[in-house]
Amino acid sequence: MRNKILMAAVALAGFGLVAAIPAVPAQASSPRTGTAPEKLCPAGVTNLAYCTDHCPAGVLVGAYCEPKPPIVPIIQIRSHPTRIIGGRLGVELRCLHATCVGNVRVSTTVTVILHRGKRRLRRRRTVVIARGDYRMAPNTLRLARYFLDRIGWHLLRIARHHRLVVRIVATVEHGRTAVRTEPIFLG
């Protein structure tokens, strides 16, 4: 009996004769997330504008009103020749979707010779040569400049042609980490 009344109300709603159709509360869980959705469009409703208007806090998936996924900030390291200008290393960062807050770490690998009695052992070590924080508005591009530390200057000075291959790691809170390997040189 209830289905016949609902179908009649739906038919009248299609002609604009019924002002509002009450939403039926959901009993089952959502097929996507497994949690109980906020609202369920009445069975047989062809007027999706009604369902969309009554789902303001979420996204309409089929007949279920699910909460919108959170906006995740994305940080990108733009590729270009990285130069040391004015004593600072310039790293071009791009922030997408939300405010990006995080830090940048620039590292390189060096070969260290250890003396064990009469033997020499070669070991590769990762050395951080620059680090710093950043805060960027959404959808912006910025050249972040960081000072090299004493070890970074020493490695750059003794490198062939003053060119050093570094690994730049940009981390962002509540988002993904961006990694890029590129050479730096004195400009």
Side-chain angles (χ1 to χ4, degrees), residues 7 10 89 99 137 150 184:
M7 292 301 282
V10 169
L89 170 69
T99 302
R150 188 171 49 90
I184 62 170

Side-chain angles (χ1 to χ4, degrees), residues 136-156:
M136 296 174 63
N139 303 319
T140 56
L141 184 68
R142 188 178 111 190
L143 182 69
R145 307 202 48 195
Y146 302 107
F147 286 105
L148 285 179
D149 59 9
R150 188 171 49 90
I151 295 171
W153 278 112
H154 175 71
L155 291 173
L156 194 59

Side-chain angles (χ1 to χ4, degrees), residues 56-135:
V59 178
L60 188 68
V61 177
Y64 294 96
C65 180
E66 295 187 356
K68 290 182 181 176
I71 297 175
V72 178
I74 296 175
I75 191 74
Q76 293 177 342
I77 302 170
R78 304 285 294 196
S79 178
H80 65 87
T82 306
R83 295 173 183 254
I84 307 283
I85 300 173
R88 293 184 184 183
L89 170 69
V91 178
E92 194 170 338
L93 300 173
R94 182 177 181 194
C95 175
L96 299 173
H97 304 305
T99 302
C100 296
V101 178
N103 56 41
V104 173
R105 193 175 70 238
V106 181
S107 61
T108 187
T109 57
V110 295
T111 303
V112 178
I113 299 175
L114 302 173
H115 299 280
R116 301 274 192 230
K118 293 182 179 181
R119 294 183 300 153
R120 286 185 177 175
L121 301 175
R122 292 178 181 253
R123 298 284 187 252
R124 294 185 69 79
R125 303 267 190 239
T126 300
V127 180
V128 177
I129 61 173
R131 69 181 77 207
D133 298 328
Y134 66 89
R135 180 182 193 88

